[in-house]
Amino acid sequence: MKNRVVQTVLLLLGYCIPFAFLGMYGDVSYYTMWLYALLIAGMGLLCWGCIKFKNLLALVLGNILSAVVSIICVRAFIPSDLEWYFKPLTSSSTAILLSAAAFIIQFIIWKAAAKKTK
């Protein structure tokens, strides 16, 4: 039981990194798409950890946590005069869209891995 709690807490701490925000910030500030690779790699690594430890709770809560932290960071660090950059969406809705897409992909991978182990 104690080991499971530690694993969940460590996974949730990993999900506290605002991956969607980092990709968007790199795009706006440095005109590079490379930080979106950090979104893919980070979320992939955390998804692998959730699959390895069979921890669906951390996967769901972690993605929600990452989305919330990303939205807070977007509102704090991306100036409102750059809202046009992510047209037709706003910067906050782009962060939500990226986070939702990452969650859907991770959940599909989770279901495929669960089906494979049966």
Side-chain angles (χ1 to χ4, degrees):
M1 177 68 181
K2 184 177 177 184
N3 208 11
R4 179 98 167 147
V5 172
V6 171
Q7 291 168 350
T8 303
V9 168
L10 289 176
L11 286 168
L12 289 175
L13 284 175
Y15 276 111
C16 284
I17 299 170
F19 292 109
F21 163 73
L22 292 175
M24 292 171 59
Y25 186 75
D27 197 3
V28 167
S29 299
Y30 304 112
Y31 305 106
T32 183
M33 300 292 280
W34 284 105
L35 289 178
Y36 287 109
L38 181 65
L39 166 74
I40 295 167
M43 289 291 200
L45 182 67
L46 290 167
C47 180
W48 174 80
C50 289
I51 291 169
K52 180 175 172 33
F53 299 126
K54 296 180 173 94
N55 199 335
L56 182 61
L57 179 68
L59 182 81
V60 174
L61 289 179
N63 276 286
I64 292 169
L65 184 62
S66 183
V68 169
V69 173
S70 288
I71 293 167
I72 291 169
C73 289
V74 162
R75 291 186 182 223
F77 296 112
I78 294 181
S80 60
D81 61 333
L82 290 175
E83 286 289 323
W84 60 269
Y85 192 84
F86 298 104
K87 286 217 177 207
L89 304 171
T90 64
S91 56
S92 296
S93 58
T94 302
I96 293 169
L97 180 69
L98 285 170
S99 297
F103 172 68
I104 291 168
I105 292 168
Q106 288 178 58
F107 190 73
I108 290 169
I109 293 170
W110 168 272
K111 291 299 263 184
K115 191 176 187 181
K116 188 177 180 180
T117 57
K118 279 188 177 179

